[in-house]
Amino acid sequence: MENKDSLKNKSPMISVKGLKKCFGELEVLKGMDVEVKEGEVVCLIGPSGSGKSTFLRCLNKLEEANGGEIIIDGQRITDKKININKVRENIGMVFQHFNLFANLTIIDNITLAPVELKILTKEQARERAMELLRRVGLEDKAEVYPSQLSGGQKQRCAIARSLAMSPDIMLFDEPTSALDPEMVGEVLDVMKSLAREGMTMVIVTHEMGFAREVADRIIFMDDGYIVEQGTPDYIFNHAKEERTISFLNKVL
């Protein structure tokens, strides 16, 4: 979404070299190299099982890498001594299934982390939460519980909750795949507005139209490797790799 020339001069917020991840005998990531610049929006696409979500989860150490290094905002998170909770304060994560606390109201879901971590006072956190709920179009839902919301509303609340920590990086793991089709648009609109504001974002998505519109760069993954990457125009109109072309022919 940013002007390409302005991205060229930005330093990398995320730098991944030789990343490997195995689950038992199964090698899911087979040596990935990726850099994401400040303000860049990168969409990961590819078939199920290609390693996209595992890659995303390695970026905030929800999965422990088996090889390679990950540097986030200058900090090597693959270092055993790293305080990952400190690093995570700067990385918002939005999951496929919202992960809201069912026993807390929406506003309490949003204020929990900043208050617990003593980043904001209760009053400040509530003020910030209301501002974020206004932003995602749900200020009238502050006092309701997640069970009273539609899937699209829950996901917008989950985004607001991630933003409450004022992160520099947002990770989205298939944020619309659990939603009814008519609710997808309302979530993508919130993500588009974040992209316009220059948030650094890494998004695993099956929404090709969204990737085409929002991404600065699209990475096509298959079988634990990056097969091909480039601008949306390159990937959708000029991809060179047979595997990329055959995947796009099936999904477009």
Side-chain angles (χ1 to χ4, degrees), residues 7-22:
L7 278 175
K8 262 187 211 139
N9 311 323
K10 297 261 177 95
S11 54
M13 281 287 256
I14 300 171
S15 177
V16 178
K17 293 191 180 77
L19 178 63
K20 293 189 173 174
K21 174 64 188 170
C22 307

Side-chain angles (χ1 to χ4, degrees), residues 147-206:
S147 60
Q148 297 165 270
L149 298 182
S150 71
Q153 290 172 327
K154 285 180 194 164
Q155 197 56 296
R156 285 186 280 153
C157 288
I159 294 173
R161 181 180 59 179
S162 288
L163 292 171
M165 296 289 291
S166 304
D168 288 334
I169 297 167
M170 287 284 282
L171 307 177
F172 292 88
D173 190 7
E174 299 191 24
T176 58
S177 63
L179 300 179
D180 292 336
E182 68 267 28
M183 291 171 186
V184 168
E186 61 192 56
V187 173
L188 295 182
D189 285 344
V190 174
M191 293 170 68
K192 284 175 194 169
S193 80
L194 286 174
R196 281 194 294 273
E197 287 163 23
M199 174 68 78
T200 307
M201 293 158 71
V202 184
I203 305 164
V204 173
T205 186
H206 292 293

